Amino acid sequence: MPHAGLTVLWGPTDGDARAAAHTALLRGAARLTGSPPHAFRTAYEPGGRPRLAGAAAPPHVSISHGRGVWAVALGTTGPVGVDIETVRPLPALRLAGRWLDAAAAHWLAGLPPAARPAAFLWLWTQKEAIGKAHGRGLRGGGLSRPVPVPRRWPPVPAHGRPPVLRPLAEDPGTFCAALLADSGRHVLALASAAPTAVDLRGHPGPGGAAAPADPGRAGRPAR
């Protein structure tokens, strides 16, 4: 696994997504540091943000798990956040009216109905990731920071390249990005409190090895 300021692992699962995420977090820390997975344990800060305990543990981590999918992020340059959602039917316009700013909701309304669920999740997951990176959750972090809408929808596929985290216009100290992964089946978002390079790895196998993610085109969101 190449070293980068932000290492991200993600994958689908037929089992317990939460357990899969925590297992991947320990394996990711092991590969990043050269220490065995049992050298680390997961702990939580008073606000609920996860961290890894252990002498060689990466200083910043984030976890996301939902409907049959999970993701973890390990950062060395600053606090990080990750969020992943499975694209599925949902009342995108109603959710946008409640949770997004007026400009984002207007943009979403201008898309074809079939495109709206993934587009809403594109914005929503970034807000979740931002909240995690700041350690304050949605209301103290992500909801108060407008996320820019893509210049085109669907976004131009990255063809296996990791996303570039870009600063928010109204908060240049927060960097974020999102991508459609697994041919558009999932939306994955990343956030960081510092500019950083990203090493993105998708679909880890039983032994923890991983292949590059495959960006594609394509109720209330799960946490």
Side-chain angles (χ1 to χ4, degrees):
M1 179 184 299
H3 177 73
L6 175 56
T7 299
V8 181
L9 305 174
W10 75 275
T13 179
D14 293 329
D16 186 336
R18 182 179 185 277
H22 282 268
T23 297
L25 182 65
L26 298 180
R27 289 179 175 173
R31 286 177 173 270
L32 193 65
T33 64
S35 300
H38 62 73
F40 310 100
R41 62 182 179 83
T42 306
Y44 292 89
E45 298 176 359
R49 179 159 58 182
R51 62 180 177 84
L52 283 179
H60 309 286
V61 301
S62 183
I63 300 174
S64 179
H65 46 82
R67 300 169 182 241
V69 69
W70 56 267
V72 301
L74 303 97
T76 59
T77 58
V80 299
V82 66
D83 196 63
I84 192 165
E85 289 278 358
T86 298
V87 176
R88 59 197 185 276
L90 50 77
L93 294 185
R94 180 168 61 82
L95 291 169
R98 181 175 182 184
W99 300 109
L100 301 182
D101 59 272
H106 178 75
W107 169 78
L108 191 71
L111 296 178
R116 291 170 186 163
F120 171 80
L121 292 173
W122 175 279
L123 301 175
W124 175 263
T125 53
Q126 289 184 79
K127 287 181 173 290
E128 286 269 24
I130 290 167
K132 293 177 180 180
H134 284 273
R136 303 180 199 140
L138 272 168
R139 295 193 180 278
L143 288 180
S144 62
R145 292 171 169 83
V147 176
V149 300
R151 294 181 179 177
R152 56 171 286 182
W153 190 266
V156 177
H159 298 299
R161 297 189 304 272
V164 176
L165 274 64
R166 302 189 185 282
L168 296 178
E170 297 186 17
D171 181 8
T174 297
F175 302 78
C176 67
L179 64 101
L180 295 176
D182 197 14
S183 298
R185 295 182 181 88
H186 309 288
V187 181
L188 174 66
L190 314 171
S192 174
T196 184
V198 177
D199 176 28
L200 178 64
R201 300 277 166 156
H203 298 282
D214 172 28
R217 288 192 292 262
R220 176 180 169 85
R223 291 297 300 274

